Amino acid sequence: MFQEGGLHLHQVFGHSGPLAGDSRRPRYCSQCGTRLAGQVLARFERLRCDGCGHVHYLNPAPGVTMLVKSPVGEILVGRRKATVRYGGKWCLPGGYIEYEESFIDTAHREVREETGLEVRIDGIVNVVSNHLDDSHHTLVIVLLGEILTGSPEPGDDMEALMWIDRQAHAGIDYAFDADQRIVEGYFAGNLQLLPIDARIEQDEPMRPGAGSIVGHG
């Protein structure tokens, strides 16, 4: 747990237990190198530098998850390698959004890396928060799409792939609760599709001022 001046952060802020994200909070300012101090700013417990005033914000990591459906309505899931977190359990293809990418770019890249497939993205079906543990808090855009080209081949963090229908879904040991809920919603017919503005369906790298626009069609 991070310690500030010999104190745990929960002692700095008067908590009886650790703060969320303690293991990810830095000890020193990234701008000037001064040791950071705990402070309450806008109702949230932050680390603020007494040297230069820089505030360290701890934010969820943005990611993308993809529901890849087959022509008969099955969903593709992958079993995670034993060497990665939650190894041996199943999840939807997806991953973190890199700084240079749009969320659309990430979806195409992650599906390609983990399944070998090129996909058509039909739209957004949900956005979920995953607070997995003290070190992992993600905000995930969930997309729905279909195969354009390729045959499923596991890669990257995946050691196996499987198409599942509604019945098979019930027996899957999911790595992430959010994935389980999303797949349940898909098979129950409860997901509503938010189309993605065609102007951001492009392969150009992100550049300053190039925002992503999401519309209703």
Side-chain angles (χ1 to χ4, degrees), residues 195-202 213 215:
I196 298 169
D197 193 302
R199 288 172 289 179
I200 65 168
E201 270 280 24
Q202 53 188 329
I213 305 171

Side-chain angles (χ1 to χ4, degrees), residues 6-210:
L7 295 175
H8 293 300
L9 264 185
H10 68 79
Q11 292 174 302
V12 174
F13 291 120
H15 286 262
S16 60
L19 293 174
D22 265 0
S23 61
R24 301 197 64 180
R25 296 174 191 267
R27 293 178 173 83
Y28 299 95
C29 178
S30 60
Q31 305 299 307
C32 70
T34 301
R35 193 171 183 88
L36 294 170
Q39 191 173 96
V40 176
L41 299 172
R43 299 184 298 108
F44 293 97
E45 293 141 342
R46 307 291 190 199
L47 289 174
R48 183 181 184 276
C49 177
D50 289 337
C52 68
H54 178 71
V55 179
H56 173 75
Y57 293 96
L58 189 65
N59 303 115
V64 169
T65 287
M66 185 85 188
L67 282 164
V68 181
K69 61 181 180 178
S70 74
V72 295
E74 296 171 318
I75 291 296
L76 188 65
V77 295
R79 189 174 67 224
R80 299 171 64 81
K81 292 179 179 177
T83 54
V84 302
R85 185 177 293 270
Y86 309 112
K89 296 190 175 186
W90 296 80
C91 67
L92 297 168
Y96 292 111
I97 300 172
E98 297 292 342
Y99 193 84
E100 299 84 0
E101 295 179 318
S102 70
F103 70 94
I104 294 295
D105 295 331
T106 301
H108 285 296
R109 174 181 58 77
E110 288 288 349
V111 171
R112 186 182 308 118
E113 289 175 354
E114 296 185 345
T115 73
L117 299 172
E118 298 294 336
V119 294
R120 183 192 75 223
I121 298 173
D122 295 330
I124 300 169
V125 294
N126 212 329
V127 178
V128 297
S129 289
N130 292 317
H131 203 163
L132 303 174
D133 52 48
D134 186 59
S135 298
H136 297 85
H137 182 189
T138 61
L139 181 67
V140 179
I141 303 167
V142 185
L143 302 169
L144 178 69
E146 300 182 28
I147 297 175
L148 284 178
T149 60
S151 298
E153 291 289 341
D156 198 19
D157 290 343
M158 303 294 195
E159 65 179 8
L161 299 173
M162 178 171 59
W163 291 104
I164 59 171
D165 57 16
R166 185 171 188 170
Q167 183 175 3
H169 155 69
I172 295 294
D173 183 14
Y174 285 95
F176 312 114
D177 290 341
D179 281 7
Q180 181 174 356
R181 293 194 299 271
I182 289 294
V183 176
E184 286 174 355
Y186 169 80
F187 286 124
N190 295 331
L191 301 184
Q192 296 184 3
L193 191 68
L194 174 66
I196 298 169
D197 193 302
R199 288 172 289 179
I200 65 168
E201 270 280 24
Q202 53 188 329
D203 292 326
E204 298 178 8
M206 293 293 287
R207 58 193 184 280

